[in-house]
Amino acid sequence: MSPLLLWVFTAMTGGITAGAVAVHGLRPNRYGPIEPPSLFAPAQAGAPSDAAADAPDGLLSAARCDQCSERDLGYRWAALAAVHEPAQCPNDSWAFRRGCLDYVGGI
């Protein structure tokens, strides 16, 4: 076997082994709620009854929660609005759009 072929084989074997060790046990991050939010979420205590009236979209008010980040809100909104394409995500803010894009699975 030639020294060049032996070196290529060793480098490829080492690279594959090191790559497998580096990614072993990693899991993809999941953003947003684990289960899709319900369209008929119970009213939150202390929330005004006309919360949907001051939001531009009724779905947006249903996607709100007190402890969610803006990215989570974008994810929840996309789930409720049944968004299927990245072009359907609004450009209101980067974090909200990023949550929507996470739901769609595109950038």
Side-chain angles (χ1 to χ4, degrees):
M1 196 180 255
S2 74
L4 179 63
L5 196 59
L6 184 61
W7 182 83
V8 169
F9 176 74
T10 303
M12 289 185 65
T13 304
I16 291 171
T17 304
V21 168
V23 299
H24 178 71
L26 292 179
R27 302 284 183 264
N29 288 340
R30 294 190 53 92
Y31 296 100
I34 301 300
E35 56 191 42
S38 171
L39 285 175
F40 304 104
Q44 296 176 355
S49 60
D50 61 342
D54 49 57
D57 186 3
L59 292 176
L60 184 58
S61 65
R64 290 194 178 151
C65 69
D66 291 334
Q67 299 170 349
C68 291
S69 68
E70 199 168 341
R71 189 174 187 156
D72 289 338
L73 291 176
Y75 186 95
R76 291 171 61 95
W77 177 84
L80 289 170
V83 175
H84 297 294
E85 297 179 12
Q88 295 173 311
C89 294
N91 285 327
D92 297 338
S93 74
W94 171 243
F96 189 88
R97 180 170 173 78
R98 188 68 198 155
C100 180
L101 290 173
D102 283 342
Y103 177 79
V104 175
I107 293 177

